Amino acid sequence: MSCGVALAVTLLLSDPNVALAAALPPPAADAPVSVAGEPLFADIIARSGALKGVVQGWIEAGVVDQSDFAAGPAFVGFRTQAVELAALDMQGHVILKERGTDGDLKCILRGISEDIPVKIAAVEAAATPAARRVALDELAYLLNDNVEVITAPPQPEV
């Protein structure tokens, strides 16, 4: 028995996942490829996740009760980072548009790019703690959505 065959048998017997993976058919040559590992999209994921964490921290800390919250240095710095994220989302949209691939993600990234400034403005305009809470919740949801749409497994075009 050759060493290669012996190694293959050992691997098959030692880890059942190897046997399961070997039994799966290979992906189609034209199957959509995830962009989540590309540097731009990985950066969007990291930034969105970090900003969502900041928003969640504010919600949990009760900053919604502070009437001057949106004028404070923490929110002003956050706004700058969120605007940069919106620009990256638009850049991702343009890249996917130029590739002529992934119509859904392309459109979603454009929508998120356009929605981030709207959600930021809603936080700034909120006149009551309840309104600030709603605005921050919606912003957190949008930032989470930004991560999930990029990391979701790509689906074939129909």
Side-chain angles (χ1 to χ4, degrees):
M1 184 180 298
S2 75
C3 291
V5 172
L7 178 61
V9 169
T10 303
L11 286 174
L12 285 171
L13 295 174
S14 65
D15 186 357
N17 292 323
V18 173
L20 291 173
L24 295 174
D30 62 345
V33 177
S34 174
V35 296
E38 294 180 27
L40 171 69
F41 298 99
D43 190 25
I44 291 171
I45 292 166
R47 289 178 187 230
S48 293
L51 291 177
K52 179 187 178 267
V54 169
V55 172
Q56 287 301 125
W58 287 336
I59 292 169
E60 292 167 9
V63 298
V64 296
D65 297 329
Q66 301 170 4
S67 60
D68 62 343
F69 164 70
F75 189 78
V76 170
F78 176 88
R79 181 187 327 117
T80 300
Q81 292 176 29
V83 168
E84 290 170 359
L85 175 61
L88 290 175
D89 280 316
M90 183 57 76
Q91 185 179 356
H93 161 78
V94 169
I95 287 170
L96 294 175
K97 183 177 178 182
E98 288 173 354
R99 289 181 188 172
T101 60
D102 203 334
D104 287 345
L105 181 57
K106 173 184 66 179
C107 294
I108 293 169
L109 288 176
R110 180 179 178 147
I112 290 173
S113 173
E114 294 168 351
D115 284 349
I116 288 174
V118 171
K119 299 301 180 190
I120 294 292
V123 173
E124 294 170 331
T128 66
R132 274 188 292 284
R133 172 63 188 243
V134 168
L136 286 171
D137 279 338
E138 289 178 357
L139 182 57
Y141 180 82
L142 180 65
L143 293 167
N144 186 64
D145 195 35
N146 204 11
V147 171
E148 289 183 354
V149 298
I150 296 173
T151 59
Q155 300 299 313
E157 299 281 332
V158 225

